[in-house]
Amino acid sequence: MAGTRTKLGDVEIEWEEHGDAARTLLLVHGFTGARTDFETHFESLAQDRRVVAADHRGHGGSTNTGRAEDYTLDALTEDLIGFLEATVDGPADVLGHSMGGMVALRLVLRRPDLVRSLILMDTASEAPRGLVPPENFGDLVRELGVRAVVDSVARTPERELFARCKGAAWVESDTERRLSGLDREAFIGLLPQVFQCASVSGRLGEVECPTTVLVGGLDALFVPTSERLAGGIPGARLEVVEGAYHSPQHTHPEEWLARVRGHLEWADAAG
């Protein structure tokens, strides 16, 4: 589905919306993802929210700049600030997944006035321990191609769970759809950003909005970081989707949706 495009400086962000409620829920996807990561839930969430989903620069239908230096967490955060200012009237409920959660956390620390409540999903306030890109990572990607690098590490327990839950054809089509819109230089620029990012853990106490930290119980890299997030943000709630890995919205859709709805009801009650 072609989306609306909003120009922010040198890039255009492609996005779509569903529903017309007064309150807005912004869905922020992760590294190598796209707004379609949440598409099976648009209709359900739009029953009582205006649901907005956008592609980061270098992903999906948004601008590919072709320059690795254009892809940083700071640049994505500035994009998100500009996007909210341009498309949302008042603060939004924001759900950020993985890298998108890192961006959403930086957003609320920089511009708390734009965020009504926050869901941090399978993400971190610091570099997750366990993966450091090789020094020649960019050269490898440029030599082999993004798809070859992704395929070399693709046989994971979560991918096998995707195949059992949604079928092998869905796994292949989803991979092709995400990578077809991905700027190779975004892949090169952002992966080190995610796994070597500067920590903002010392600022978690500044987050004042209702916050839920949501994580798959089998997401080994991000369960520890999620526990630290929930412990550092005042009043934050930790929600664990047992049996899920990094993308519970795909493999455990009913449980995921129930946790998101529970958060939104809590945020509504808090005013």
Side-chain angles (χ1 to χ4, degrees):
M1 172 181 174
T4 302
R5 295 178 71 85
T6 295
K7 186 171 178 57
L8 301 173
D10 294 334
V11 301
E12 289 187 345
I13 300 299
E14 187 167 292
W15 59 285
E16 62 186 276
E17 62 181 327
H18 302 265
D20 58 1
R23 287 173 174 162
T24 297
L25 170 63
L26 174 64
L27 302 172
V28 187
H29 70 80
F31 177 61
T32 76
R35 66 184 192 271
T36 52
D37 288 353
F38 302 101
E39 65 182 359
T40 57
H41 298 286
F42 288 159
E43 183 177 347
S44 295
L45 291 170
Q47 292 175 13
D48 58 3
R49 285 293 189 283
R50 174 186 179 233
V51 176
V52 173
D55 294 327
H56 291 298
R57 63 168 65 196
H59 294 71
S62 293
T63 298
N64 291 354
T65 72
R67 299 183 297 270
E69 61 268 25
D70 293 342
Y71 297 106
T72 65
L73 293 180
D74 282 344
L76 269 56
T77 302
E78 288 299 321
D79 287 348
L80 200 56
I81 290 170
F83 178 77
L84 281 167
E85 290 179 332
T87 64
V88 178
D89 183 14
D93 301 301
V94 179
L95 183 154
H97 177 213
S98 194
M99 181 189 74
M102 295 177 174
V103 175
L105 182 56
R106 284 159 176 77
L107 163 70
V108 75
L109 290 172
R110 196 169 300 178
R111 289 291 304 277
D113 58 301
L114 296 177
V115 182
R116 177 176 175 268
S117 77
L118 188 62
I119 301 175
L120 297 171
M121 174 183 162
D122 294 84
T123 191
S125 58
E126 60 202 5
R129 299 163 191 152
L131 178 61
V132 177
E135 290 186 6
N136 62 338
F137 174 72
D139 293 336
L140 286 174
V141 175
R142 292 184 181 105
E143 177 184 351
L144 300 174
V146 172
R147 183 60 193 259
V149 174
V150 169
D151 285 346
S152 72
V153 295
R155 188 167 181 80
T156 64
E158 181 170 50
R159 189 177 176 89
E160 294 171 3
L161 182 57
F162 283 160
R164 293 199 301 273
C165 292
K166 302 177 79 74
W170 179 90
V171 174
E172 177 59 29
S173 65
D174 179 67
T175 301
E176 180 60 32
R177 178 170 59 177
R178 289 186 294 105
L179 296 186
S180 66
L182 181 69
D183 188 347
R184 179 191 67 183
E185 297 303 308
F187 189 81
I188 292 169
L190 286 170
L191 188 140
Q193 284 275 310
V194 170
F195 289 100
Q196 297 174 315
C197 64
S199 173
V200 294
S201 297
R203 298 188 60 192
L204 294 179
E206 299 174 30
V207 179
E208 297 182 345
C209 64
T211 301
T212 294
V213 180
L214 179 62
V215 65
L218 299 178
D219 193 356
L221 275 180
F222 289 97
V223 167
T225 63
S226 295
E227 291 172 345
R228 289 193 286 274
L229 274 173
I233 296 174
R237 307 195 308 189
L238 178 64
E239 296 280 353
V240 179
V241 181
E242 298 296 347
Y245 290 91
H246 193 61
S247 298
Q249 81 274 24
H250 292 315
T251 59
H252 294 68
E254 293 181 1
E255 294 96 322
W256 181 86
L257 185 59
R259 307 301 175 89
V260 173
R261 284 199 168 279
H263 168 86
L264 295 175
E265 291 170 1
W266 173 43
D268 288 348

